Amino acid sequence: MKIFLISFLFVLSTTAYAQFTVTGRIIDSVTKEPLKAASVFCQNTTLGTSTNSQGEFTLTLKSGGYDLIISYTGYQTITKRITGEENDPDSYREEFQMVREEKNLEEVVIQNSNEVLDGWEKYGKFFIENFIGTTPNAATCTIENPEVLKFYFLKKSNKLRVLATEPIAISNKAFGYNLRYQLDTFVYYYNTDISSYRGFCLFSEMEGSEVEKKKWLASRKKAYYGSKLHFLRSYYDSTLTEDGWLISMLDETDENKFIKISEPYDTTYYGLIDSTHEVEVWYPRKISVSYTKKKPEAEYLKKFNFPKIVSTQISYIDLNEVITIKLNGYYYDQKDWINQGYWSWKNLGDLLPYDFDE
């Protein structure tokens, strides 16, 4: 068993985009020796590092919220929610015990008996479509190390499960990003035609010429406007109307009718917490979110048999609980947000990092 010692030092600048620094040291709880090359990064960002020979690391982050991910081979990954708008900037120290991942014998037997040995040949294309997506941006993505993927078909429950022996390396040539995705699990349920996956993603910039970089930036901006990240930042900034967003909520008496929310900042649905610089949002019934400044892609309309005259991007959201939004568009708890409609078409191939600056 191992213990991770992490101290967080928050240093807020006086600029509009304040920053804070996360520093820490990672050691072995038994030997007390520092752990070199442990992975430390913020989920869905370009912000990551590894510990040095002394087990130390430093990350400088823009204001907002993040999930700090700490991983070390053979141990369960630790996730720590951190924010940069705390009133108390003093450093503090916490201890994290890393629990060794130990598969029980029954699980090993089940996996071995259900593994599809030619899984990539049989399910690779299907996995890409449901994990990376079928959008034009997703079509530019490539999994560079497919050999790390293991496919398991469970006949009794009629589902496909995919695991990875190490992080999946993905290149996104539309955005100029390399992704390192630490897959926890991917499951596709054939009975309901629903897939789900979870894991931790670190972005890094591709090397390229100035012409390529300009092209990548243009593609990122095009994908940003109308995205879920754009919507969350607009809600936080109180610019929903100016940015082209419309919210409607399902009628309490008619499941086929949505009624426009004329004031999404009404305290019935919205709350601002001054002390933590957080915004809370809650809708008791399903909402539709329309982006009026851009038409859906032709590929989306074709895939779902919508007429070409559809002029807005419409997504449907169920909120299981109140969600809390931070300055950079990060929100929690993410499990309480369920997508349908346009945003559900967007998978990993259209994902932008939380530190993307439009």
Side-chain angles (χ1 to χ4, degrees):
M1 196 172 293
K2 301 186 178 184
I3 292 180
F4 284 64
L5 298 182
I6 299 182
S7 65
F8 296 89
L9 176 62
F10 296 95
V11 183
L12 302 184
S13 73
T14 58
T15 64
Y17 298 98
Q19 294 183 330
F20 66 108
T21 300
V22 182
T23 63
R25 183 167 183 260
I26 302 176
I27 65 172
D28 186 294
S29 64
V30 176
T31 65
K32 309 302 180 184
E33 293 294 321
L35 297 178
K36 180 182 178 181
S39 178
V40 182
F41 65 94
C42 290
Q43 159 78 329
N44 285 354
T45 73
T46 62
L47 309 167
T49 188
S50 297
T51 53
N52 61 20
S53 59
Q54 300 302 311
E56 300 168 339
F57 72 89
T58 299
L59 281 176
T60 300
L61 312 174
K62 290 183 179 180
S63 293
Y66 303 89
D67 285 330
L68 185 70
I69 310 301
I70 307 162
S71 64
Y72 195 74
T73 302
Y75 291 80
Q76 294 178 7
T77 298
I78 281 182
T79 302
K80 171 69 178 180
R81 184 183 302 147
I82 58 175
T83 64
E85 291 86 17
E86 303 291 343
N87 289 331
D88 182 6
D90 294 336
S91 62
Y92 62 93
R93 182 178 294 270
E94 292 189 25
E95 292 186 355
F96 295 87
Q97 289 198 1
M98 299 294 288
V99 178
R100 185 182 293 274
E101 291 182 329
E102 296 181 357
K103 292 184 179 180
N104 60 49
L105 181 60
E106 181 180 0
E107 182 180 356
V108 173
V109 171
I110 291 175
Q111 287 193 2
N112 288 340
S113 63
N114 289 283
E115 183 176 358
V116 182
L117 298 181
D118 59 345
W120 178 252
E121 290 73 21
K122 188 172 183 179
Y123 295 111
K125 183 175 182 294
F126 181 81
F127 172 72
I128 289 173
E129 290 176 349
N130 287 275
F131 178 59
I132 295 178
T134 59
T135 68
N137 290 325
T140 73
C141 296
T142 302
I143 294 180
E144 304 293 349
N145 57 344
E147 68 278 1
V148 307
L149 296 169
K150 301 295 182 182
F151 297 82
Y152 306 90
F153 181 71
L154 288 77
K155 293 182 179 179
K156 188 174 181 180
S157 54
N158 196 28
K159 65 183 180 183
L160 175 70
R161 186 182 183 195
V162 184
L163 303 176
T165 57
E166 60 184 73
I168 307 171
I170 304 167
S171 61
N172 185 327
K173 299 177 182 64
F175 295 165
Y177 286 131
N178 289 312
L179 283 65
R180 180 179 179 272
Y181 196 95
Q182 186 177 317
L183 182 68
D184 186 6
T185 185
F186 169 96
V187 181
Y188 184 87
Y189 303 88
Y190 286 95
N191 292 340
T192 58
D193 194 30
I194 294 175
S195 63
S196 67
Y197 59 87
R198 63 178 182 268
F200 310 106
C201 186
L202 175 65
F203 291 74
S204 61
E205 299 276 355
M206 284 185 178
E207 294 184 1
S209 65
E210 290 304 313
V211 173
E212 288 176 316
K213 290 179 180 179
K214 288 181 179 179
K215 183 179 178 180
W216 291 335
L217 180 58
S219 296
R220 295 173 191 177
K221 287 185 175 181
K222 182 179 178 181
Y224 172 76
Y225 291 108
S227 69
K228 179 177 169 182
L229 181 62
H230 182 203
F231 172 73
L232 289 165
R233 288 181 178 178
S234 295
Y235 221 140
Y236 184 93
D237 292 337
S238 300
T239 58
L240 285 172
T241 301
E242 302 94 297
D243 291 346
W245 299 102
L246 294 176
I247 300 176
S248 300
M249 186 167 60
L250 188 64
D251 192 320
E252 194 169 10
T253 61
D254 186 347
E255 62 180 15
N256 296 313
K257 181 180 180 181
F258 284 82
I259 300 175
K260 180 183 175 181
I261 302 296
S262 58
E263 183 44 74
Y265 300 102
D266 185 282
T267 54
T268 304
Y269 317 111
Y270 170 91
L272 173 62
I273 307 174
D274 291 331
S275 61
T276 58
H277 300 274
E278 295 177 336
V279 164
E280 290 189 341
V281 175
W282 162 247
Y283 287 90
R285 295 184 297 281
K286 185 188 296 290
I287 60 173
S288 67
V289 177
S290 302
Y291 184 61
T292 62
K293 292 190 175 183
K294 190 164 63 173
K295 294 182 178 180
E297 292 91 330
E299 293 83 356
Y300 172 75
L301 299 177
K302 182 178 179 180
K303 180 177 178 62
F304 294 97
N305 297 317
F306 291 132
K308 295 181 180 179
I309 61 172
V310 174
S311 60
T312 58
Q313 302 172 358
I314 304 177
S315 301
Y316 300 93
I317 313 302
D318 284 298
L319 298 180
N320 294 330
E321 296 289 345
V322 174
I323 65 163
T324 302
I325 307 173
K326 304 294 291 188
L327 173 66
N328 58 345
Y330 167 87
Y331 71 98
Y332 63 89
D333 281 335
Q334 301 202 7
K335 64 180 176 58
D336 292 324
W337 174 297
I338 302 173
N339 279 338
Q340 291 178 305
Y342 182 76
W343 283 337
S344 67
W345 184 53
K346 304 282 188 175
N347 275 314
L348 204 62
D350 290 85
L351 185 66
L352 292 168
Y354 282 121
D355 54 319
F356 170 73
D357 188 356
E358 74 279 11

